[in-house]
Amino acid sequence: DLPLPDSGTIYDFMFDKPSSGRGRWANWTESLKTISFDRSKKLSEIIVPTVDTVRYTYLMDLYVKSATACLFVGPTGTGKSVYIKDKLMNQLEPQYVPFFINFSAQTSA
């Protein structure tokens, strides 16, 4: 029995299960890393680590490892496409070849 922490909501935590031992509820903020910015990059190319980027990246890692399809949904302009494109273009093993089909709030059938 491992109850959720008293503060926050279920969305504020992930279940961290080490390879051995008992798991625990970890706040997403514990996974935030400090980064150094490459000053030669355009501002639009920099992804600032936030709780949302950590969540999306964690979920994408799980889906890629299990070869499971997924769909990220949410309000327009929240960065979903940016996080996914960064993952597909910069963080996958060479065996994967990304293919993009763009949809927007203006897309209709």
Side-chain angles (χ1 to χ4, degrees), residues 44-72:
S44 61
E45 295 174 342
I46 297 172
I47 297 177
V48 178
T50 65
V51 171
D52 288 329
T53 60
V54 171
R55 280 187 199 130
Y56 288 136
T57 302
Y58 177 81
L59 291 171
M60 282 188 278
D61 286 340
L62 290 178
Y63 287 122
V64 169
K65 287 177 187 173
S66 65
T68 303
C70 67
L71 177 67
F72 286 87

PDB file of all heavy atoms in Angstrom, residues 44-72:
ATOM      1  N   SER A  44      13.578  30.598 -30.686  1.00  0.00           N
ATOM      2  CA  SER A  44      12.489  29.665 -30.980  1.00  0.00           C
ATOM      3  C   SER A  44      12.945  28.206 -30.999  1.00  0.00           C
ATOM      4  O   SER A  44      12.129  27.301 -31.001  1.00  0.00           O
ATOM      5  CB  SER A  44      11.851  30.017 -32.324  1.00  0.00           C
ATOM      6  OG  SER A  44      12.809  29.909 -33.360  1.00  0.00           O
ATOM      7  N   GLU A  45      14.253  27.968 -30.994  1.00  0.00           N
ATOM      8  CA  GLU A  45      14.786  26.599 -31.013  1.00  0.00           C
ATOM      9  C   GLU A  45      15.125  26.078 -29.620  1.00  0.00           C
ATOM     10  O   GLU A  45      15.500  24.932 -29.464  1.00  0.00           O
ATOM     11  CB  GLU A  45      16.050  26.550 -31.878  1.00  0.00           C
ATOM     12  CG  GLU A  45      15.810  26.850 -33.341  1.00  0.00           C
ATOM     13  CD  GLU A  45      17.103  26.943 -34.127  1.00  0.00           C
ATOM     14  OE1 GLU A  45      18.190  27.108 -33.511  1.00  0.00           O
ATOM     15  OE2 GLU A  45      17.034  26.856 -35.361  1.00  0.00           O
ATOM     16  N   ILE A  46      14.994  26.934 -28.617  1.00  0.00           N
ATOM     17  CA  ILE A  46      15.345  26.548 -27.249  1.00  0.00           C
ATOM     18  C   ILE A  46      14.099  26.041 -26.530  1.00  0.00           C
ATOM     19  O   ILE A  46      13.070  26.693 -26.527  1.00  0.00           O
ATOM     20  CB  ILE A  46      15.951  27.742 -26.489  1.00  0.00           C
ATOM     21  CG1 ILE A  46      17.251  28.190 -27.163  1.00  0.00           C
ATOM     22  CG2 ILE A  46      16.196  27.380 -25.027  1.00  0.00           C
ATOM     23  CD1 ILE A  46      17.814  29.472 -26.606  1.00  0.00           C
ATOM     24  N   ILE A  47      14.220  24.867 -25.931  1.00  0.00           N
ATOM     25  CA  ILE A  47      13.123  24.314 -25.130  1.00  0.00           C
ATOM     26  C   ILE A  47      13.524  24.421 -23.662  1.00  0.00           C
ATOM     27  O   ILE A  47      14.509  23.819 -23.226  1.00  0.00           O
ATOM     28  CB  ILE A  47      12.825  22.852 -25.505  1.00  0.00           C
ATOM     29  CG1 ILE A  47      12.364  22.781 -26.959  1.00  0.00           C
ATOM     30  CG2 ILE A  47      11.778  22.271 -24.568  1.00  0.00           C
ATOM     31  CD1 ILE A  47      12.102  21.392 -27.456  1.00  0.00           C
ATOM     32  N   VAL A  48      12.783  25.221 -22.928  1.00  0.00           N
ATOM     33  CA  VAL A  48      13.051  25.422 -21.507  1.00  0.00           C
ATOM     34  C   VAL A  48      12.394  24.283 -20.732  1.00  0.00           C
ATOM     35  O   VAL A  48      11.194  24.043 -20.885  1.00  0.00           O
ATOM     36  CB  VAL A  48      12.501  26.783 -21.032  1.00  0.00           C
ATOM     37  CG1 VAL A  48      12.727  26.972 -19.552  1.00  0.00           C
ATOM     38  CG2 VAL A  48      13.131  27.918 -21.826  1.00  0.00           C
ATOM     39  N   PRO A  49      13.157  23.555 -19.919  1.00  0.00           N
ATOM     40  CA  PRO A  49      12.578  22.453 -19.159  1.00  0.00           C
ATOM     41  C   PRO A  49      11.516  22.954 -18.170  1.00  0.00           C
ATOM     42  O   PRO A  49      11.767  23.860 -17.390  1.00  0.00           O
ATOM     43  CB  PRO A  49      13.765  21.857 -18.405  1.00  0.00           C
ATOM     44  CG  PRO A  49      14.977  22.375 -19.085  1.00  0.00           C
ATOM     45  CD  PRO A  49      14.593  23.685 -19.695  1.00  0.00           C
ATOM     46  N   THR A  50      10.334  22.364 -18.270  1.00  0.00           N
ATOM     47  CA  THR A  50       9.241  22.651 -17.335  1.00  0.00           C
ATOM     48  C   THR A  50       8.635  21.324 -16.909  1.00  0.00           C
ATOM     49  O   THR A  50       8.993  20.272 -17.446  1.00  0.00           O
ATOM     50  CB  THR A  50       8.139  23.505 -17.997  1.00  0.00           C
ATOM     51  OG1 THR A  50       7.533  22.727 -19.048  1.00  0.00           O
ATOM     52  CG2 THR A  50       8.696  24.807 -18.560  1.00  0.00           C
ATOM     53  N   VAL A  51       7.717  21.373 -15.992  1.00  0.00           N
ATOM     54  CA  VAL A  51       7.024  20.152 -15.582  1.00  0.00           C
ATOM     55  C   VAL A  51       6.331  19.515 -16.792  1.00  0.00           C
ATOM     56  O   VAL A  51       6.350  18.295 -16.958  1.00  0.00           O
ATOM     57  CB  VAL A  51       6.027  20.446 -14.448  1.00  0.00           C
ATOM     58  CG1 VAL A  51       5.146  19.249 -14.163  1.00  0.00           C
ATOM     59  CG2 VAL A  51       6.773  20.855 -13.186  1.00  0.00           C
ATOM     60  N   ASP A  52       5.763  20.337 -17.667  1.00  0.00           N
ATOM     61  CA  ASP A  52       5.086  19.793 -18.849  1.00  0.00           C
ATOM     62  C   ASP A  52       6.055  19.098 -19.801  1.00  0.00           C
ATOM     63  O   ASP A  52       5.756  18.029 -20.317  1.00  0.00           O
ATOM     64  CB  ASP A  52       4.326  20.891 -19.597  1.00  0.00           C
ATOM     65  CG  ASP A  52       3.094  21.341 -18.834  1.00  0.00           C
ATOM     66  OD1 ASP A  52       2.508  20.519 -18.113  1.00  0.00           O
ATOM     67  OD2 ASP A  52       2.732  22.523 -18.958  1.00  0.00           O
ATOM     68  N   THR A  53       7.225  19.687 -20.032  1.00  0.00           N
ATOM     69  CA  THR A  53       8.192  19.027 -20.923  1.00  0.00           C
ATOM     70  C   THR A  53       8.659  17.709 -20.329  1.00  0.00           C
ATOM     71  O   THR A  53       8.846  16.734 -21.043  1.00  0.00           O
ATOM     72  CB  THR A  53       9.416  19.924 -21.226  1.00  0.00           C
ATOM     73  OG1 THR A  53      10.089  20.236 -20.014  1.00  0.00           O
ATOM     74  CG2 THR A  53       9.031  21.181 -21.951  1.00  0.00           C
ATOM     75  N   VAL A  54       8.835  17.676 -19.014  1.00  0.00           N
ATOM     76  CA  VAL A  54       9.242  16.433 -18.346  1.00  0.00           C
ATOM     77  C   VAL A  54       8.150  15.380 -18.498  1.00  0.00           C
ATOM     78  O   VAL A  54       8.425  14.220 -18.829  1.00  0.00           O
ATOM     79  CB  VAL A  54       9.559  16.685 -16.854  1.00  0.00           C
ATOM     80  CG1 VAL A  54       9.759  15.388 -16.108  1.00  0.00           C
ATOM     81  CG2 VAL A  54      10.779  17.571 -16.715  1.00  0.00           C
ATOM     82  N   ARG A  55       6.903  15.752 -18.281  1.00  0.00           N
ATOM     83  CA  ARG A  55       5.784  14.807 -18.428  1.00  0.00           C
ATOM     84  C   ARG A  55       5.700  14.253 -19.846  1.00  0.00           C
ATOM     85  O   ARG A  55       5.621  13.052 -20.051  1.00  0.00           O
ATOM     86  CB  ARG A  55       4.457  15.504 -18.111  1.00  0.00           C
ATOM     87  CG  ARG A  55       4.151  15.649 -16.671  1.00  0.00           C
ATOM     88  CD  ARG A  55       2.729  16.189 -16.532  1.00  0.00           C
ATOM     89  NE  ARG A  55       2.535  16.759 -15.233  1.00  0.00           N
ATOM     90  CZ  ARG A  55       2.029  17.946 -14.997  1.00  0.00           C
ATOM     91  NH1 ARG A  55       1.662  18.733 -15.969  1.00  0.00           N
ATOM     92  NH2 ARG A  55       1.874  18.376 -13.770  1.00  0.00           N
ATOM     93  N   TYR A  56       5.668  15.167 -20.830  1.00  0.00           N
ATOM     94  CA  TYR A  56       5.527  14.735 -22.221  1.00  0.00           C
ATOM     95  C   TYR A  56       6.691  13.849 -22.649  1.00  0.00           C
ATOM     96  O   TYR A  56       6.502  12.833 -23.311  1.00  0.00           O
ATOM     97  CB  TYR A  56       5.427  15.942 -23.159  1.00  0.00           C
ATOM     98  CG  TYR A  56       4.122  16.687 -23.087  1.00  0.00           C
ATOM     99  CD1 TYR A  56       4.096  18.076 -23.066  1.00  0.00           C
ATOM    100  CD2 TYR A  56       2.909  16.019 -23.048  1.00  0.00           C
ATOM    101  CE1 TYR A  56       2.904  18.779 -23.018  1.00  0.00           C
ATOM    102  CE2 TYR A  56       1.713  16.711 -22.987  1.00  0.00           C
ATOM    103  CZ  TYR A  56       1.709  18.084 -22.975  1.00  0.00           C
ATOM    104  OH  TYR A  56       0.529  18.767 -22.922  1.00  0.00           O
ATOM    105  N   THR A  57       7.901  14.219 -22.270  1.00  0.00           N
ATOM    106  CA  THR A  57       9.072  13.430 -22.648  1.00  0.00           C
ATOM    107  C   THR A  57       9.025  12.045 -22.003  1.00  0.00           C
ATOM    108  O   THR A  57       9.318  11.037 -22.647  1.00  0.00           O
ATOM    109  CB  THR A  57      10.370  14.163 -22.254  1.00  0.00           C
ATOM    110  OG1 THR A  57      10.384  15.438 -22.881  1.00  0.00           O
ATOM    111  CG2 THR A  57      11.594  13.384 -22.677  1.00  0.00           C
ATOM    112  N   TYR A  58       8.658  11.991 -20.739  1.00  0.00           N
ATOM    113  CA  TYR A  58       8.544  10.706 -20.041  1.00  0.00           C
ATOM    114  C   TYR A  58       7.525   9.808 -20.738  1.00  0.00           C
ATOM    115  O   TYR A  58       7.794   8.632 -21.003  1.00  0.00           O
ATOM    116  CB  TYR A  58       8.132  10.958 -18.583  1.00  0.00           C
ATOM    117  CG  TYR A  58       7.913   9.703 -17.783  1.00  0.00           C
ATOM    118  CD1 TYR A  58       8.978   9.019 -17.233  1.00  0.00           C
ATOM    119  CD2 TYR A  58       6.626   9.210 -17.579  1.00  0.00           C
ATOM    120  CE1 TYR A  58       8.777   7.856 -16.488  1.00  0.00           C
ATOM    121  CE2 TYR A  58       6.415   8.054 -16.838  1.00  0.00           C
ATOM    122  CZ  TYR A  58       7.493   7.383 -16.301  1.00  0.00           C
ATOM    123  OH  TYR A  58       7.292   6.232 -15.574  1.00  0.00           O
ATOM    124  N   LEU A  59       6.359  10.359 -21.055  1.00  0.00           N
ATOM    125  CA  LEU A  59       5.326   9.573 -21.725  1.00  0.00           C
ATOM    126  C   LEU A  59       5.772   9.137 -23.122  1.00  0.00           C
ATOM    127  O   LEU A  59       5.557   7.989 -23.515  1.00  0.00           O
ATOM    128  CB  LEU A  59       4.020  10.359 -21.805  1.00  0.00           C
ATOM    129  CG  LEU A  59       3.322  10.589 -20.466  1.00  0.00           C
ATOM    130  CD1 LEU A  59       2.162  11.560 -20.634  1.00  0.00           C
ATOM    131  CD2 LEU A  59       2.863   9.277 -19.866  1.00  0.00           C
ATOM    132  N   MET A  60       6.417  10.028 -23.865  1.00  0.00           N
ATOM    133  CA  MET A  60       6.911   9.649 -25.194  1.00  0.00           C
ATOM    134  C   MET A  60       7.938   8.533 -25.095  1.00  0.00           C
ATOM    135  O   MET A  60       7.928   7.604 -25.908  1.00  0.00           O
ATOM    136  CB  MET A  60       7.506  10.858 -25.908  1.00  0.00           C
ATOM    137  CG  MET A  60       6.462  11.785 -26.483  1.00  0.00           C
ATOM    138  SD  MET A  60       7.175  13.086 -27.503  1.00  0.00           S
ATOM    139  CE  MET A  60       7.678  14.260 -26.261  1.00  0.00           C
ATOM    140  N   ASP A  61       8.821   8.596 -24.101  1.00  0.00           N
ATOM    141  CA  ASP A  61       9.803   7.519 -23.910  1.00  0.00           C
ATOM    142  C   ASP A  61       9.113   6.180 -23.682  1.00  0.00           C
ATOM    143  O   ASP A  61       9.499   5.166 -24.266  1.00  0.00           O
ATOM    144  CB  ASP A  61      10.719   7.820 -22.719  1.00  0.00           C
ATOM    145  CG  ASP A  61      11.741   8.897 -23.009  1.00  0.00           C
ATOM    146  OD1 ASP A  61      12.025   9.158 -24.194  1.00  0.00           O
ATOM    147  OD2 ASP A  61      12.261   9.484 -22.035  1.00  0.00           O
ATOM    148  N   LEU A  62       8.080   6.173 -22.843  1.00  0.00           N
ATOM    149  CA  LEU A  62       7.343   4.928 -22.586  1.00  0.00           C
ATOM    150  C   LEU A  62       6.689   4.381 -23.854  1.00  0.00           C
ATOM    151  O   LEU A  62       6.773   3.188 -24.138  1.00  0.00           O
ATOM    152  CB  LEU A  62       6.261   5.155 -21.524  1.00  0.00           C
ATOM    153  CG  LEU A  62       6.713   5.393 -20.098  1.00  0.00           C
ATOM    154  CD1 LEU A  62       5.502   5.648 -19.200  1.00  0.00           C
ATOM    155  CD2 LEU A  62       7.496   4.209 -19.578  1.00  0.00           C
ATOM    156  N   TYR A  63       6.069   5.269 -24.620  1.00  0.00           N
ATOM    157  CA  TYR A  63       5.396   4.831 -25.843  1.00  0.00           C
ATOM    158  C   TYR A  63       6.383   4.349 -26.901  1.00  0.00           C
ATOM    159  O   TYR A  63       6.131   3.350 -27.573  1.00  0.00           O
ATOM    160  CB  TYR A  63       4.509   5.947 -26.407  1.00  0.00           C
ATOM    161  CG  TYR A  63       3.264   6.172 -25.594  1.00  0.00           C
ATOM    162  CD1 TYR A  63       2.991   7.409 -25.041  1.00  0.00           C
ATOM    163  CD2 TYR A  63       2.361   5.144 -25.366  1.00  0.00           C
ATOM    164  CE1 TYR A  63       1.847   7.616 -24.284  1.00  0.00           C
ATOM    165  CE2 TYR A  63       1.227   5.339 -24.613  1.00  0.00           C
ATOM    166  CZ  TYR A  63       0.968   6.575 -24.068  1.00  0.00           C
ATOM    167  OH  TYR A  63      -0.154   6.774 -23.324  1.00  0.00           O
ATOM    168  N   VAL A  64       7.506   5.016 -27.050  1.00  0.00           N
ATOM    169  CA  VAL A  64       8.502   4.586 -28.039  1.00  0.00           C
ATOM    170  C   VAL A  64       9.085   3.236 -27.639  1.00  0.00           C
ATOM    171  O   VAL A  64       9.194   2.330 -28.469  1.00  0.00           O
ATOM    172  CB  VAL A  64       9.620   5.647 -28.196  1.00  0.00           C
ATOM    173  CG1 VAL A  64      10.786   5.093 -28.997  1.00  0.00           C
ATOM    174  CG2 VAL A  64       9.080   6.896 -28.861  1.00  0.00           C
ATOM    175  N   LYS A  65       9.425   3.071 -26.369  1.00  0.00           N
ATOM    176  CA  LYS A  65      10.012   1.807 -25.901  1.00  0.00           C
ATOM    177  C   LYS A  65       9.055   0.636 -26.073  1.00  0.00           C
ATOM    178  O   LYS A  65       9.479  -0.485 -26.329  1.00  0.00           O
ATOM    179  CB  LYS A  65      10.432   1.920 -24.438  1.00  0.00           C
ATOM    180  CG  LYS A  65      11.660   2.772 -24.244  1.00  0.00           C
ATOM    181  CD  LYS A  65      12.008   2.927 -22.779  1.00  0.00           C
ATOM    182  CE  LYS A  65      13.142   3.918 -22.605  1.00  0.00           C
ATOM    183  NZ  LYS A  65      13.417   4.222 -21.206  1.00  0.00           N
ATOM    184  N   SER A  66       7.764   0.881 -25.926  1.00  0.00           N
ATOM    185  CA  SER A  66       6.791  -0.206 -26.043  1.00  0.00           C
ATOM    186  C   SER A  66       6.171  -0.290 -27.440  1.00  0.00           C
ATOM    187  O   SER A  66       5.278  -1.090 -27.669  1.00  0.00           O
ATOM    188  CB  SER A  66       5.687  -0.039 -24.996  1.00  0.00           C
ATOM    189  OG  SER A  66       4.941   1.132 -25.254  1.00  0.00           O
ATOM    190  N   ALA A  67       6.655   0.554 -28.369  1.00  0.00           N
ATOM    191  CA  ALA A  67       6.148   0.587 -29.753  1.00  0.00           C
ATOM    192  C   ALA A  67       4.628   0.730 -29.776  1.00  0.00           C
ATOM    193  O   ALA A  67       3.923   0.028 -30.481  1.00  0.00           O
ATOM    194  CB  ALA A  67       6.586  -0.649 -30.517  1.00  0.00           C
ATOM    195  N   THR A  68       4.135   1.663 -28.977  1.00  0.00           N
ATOM    196  CA  THR A  68       2.709   1.910 -28.855  1.00  0.00           C
ATOM    197  C   THR A  68       2.365   3.272 -29.438  1.00  0.00           C
ATOM    198  O   THR A  68       3.057   4.253 -29.189  1.00  0.00           O
ATOM    199  CB  THR A  68       2.292   1.888 -27.367  1.00  0.00           C
ATOM    200  OG1 THR A  68       2.672   0.628 -26.804  1.00  0.00           O
ATOM    201  CG2 THR A  68       0.806   2.092 -27.192  1.00  0.00           C
ATOM    202  N   ALA A  69       1.297   3.317 -30.221  1.00  0.00           N
ATOM    203  CA  ALA A  69       0.853   4.596 -30.793  1.00  0.00           C
ATOM    204  C   ALA A  69       0.255   5.471 -29.687  1.00  0.00           C
ATOM    205  O   ALA A  69      -0.304   4.968 -28.717  1.00  0.00           O
ATOM    206  CB  ALA A  69      -0.181   4.344 -31.875  1.00  0.00           C
ATOM    207  N   CYS A  70       0.388   6.777 -29.856  1.00  0.00           N
ATOM    208  CA  CYS A  70      -0.198   7.692 -28.877  1.00  0.00           C
ATOM    209  C   CYS A  70      -0.628   8.964 -29.580  1.00  0.00           C
ATOM    210  O   CYS A  70      -0.222   9.237 -30.705  1.00  0.00           O
ATOM    211  CB  CYS A  70       0.782   7.999 -27.750  1.00  0.00           C
ATOM    212  SG  CYS A  70       2.212   8.943 -28.260  1.00  0.00           S
ATOM    213  N   LEU A  71      -1.450   9.724 -28.913  1.00  0.00           N
ATOM    214  CA  LEU A  71      -1.935  10.993 -29.430  1.00  0.00           C
ATOM    215  C   LEU A  71      -1.897  12.004 -28.294  1.00  0.00           C
ATOM    216  O   LEU A  71      -2.505  11.781 -27.246  1.00  0.00           O
ATOM    217  CB  LEU A  71      -3.365  10.846 -29.959  1.00  0.00           C
ATOM    218  CG  LEU A  71      -4.051  12.106 -30.469  1.00  0.00           C
ATOM    219  CD1 LEU A  71      -3.347  12.610 -31.730  1.00  0.00           C
ATOM    220  CD2 LEU A  71      -5.514  11.817 -30.774  1.00  0.00           C
ATOM    221  N   PHE A  72      -1.161  13.092 -28.481  1.00  0.00           N
ATOM    222  CA  PHE A  72      -1.110  14.150 -27.479  1.00  0.00           C
ATOM    223  C   PHE A  72      -2.125  15.214 -27.854  1.00  0.00           C
ATOM    224  O   PHE A  72      -2.118  15.710 -28.979  1.00  0.00           O
ATOM    225  CB  PHE A  72       0.292  14.760 -27.411  1.00  0.00           C
ATOM    226  CG  PHE A  72       1.286  13.872 -26.727  1.00  0.00           C
ATOM    227  CD1 PHE A  72       1.979  12.910 -27.429  1.00  0.00           C
ATOM    228  CD2 PHE A  72       1.511  13.987 -25.369  1.00  0.00           C
ATOM    229  CE1 PHE A  72       2.888  12.077 -26.804  1.00  0.00           C
ATOM    230  CE2 PHE A  72       2.417  13.162 -24.728  1.00  0.00           C
ATOM    231  CZ  PHE A  72       3.110  12.204 -25.446  1.00  0.00           C
TER     232      PHE A  72
END
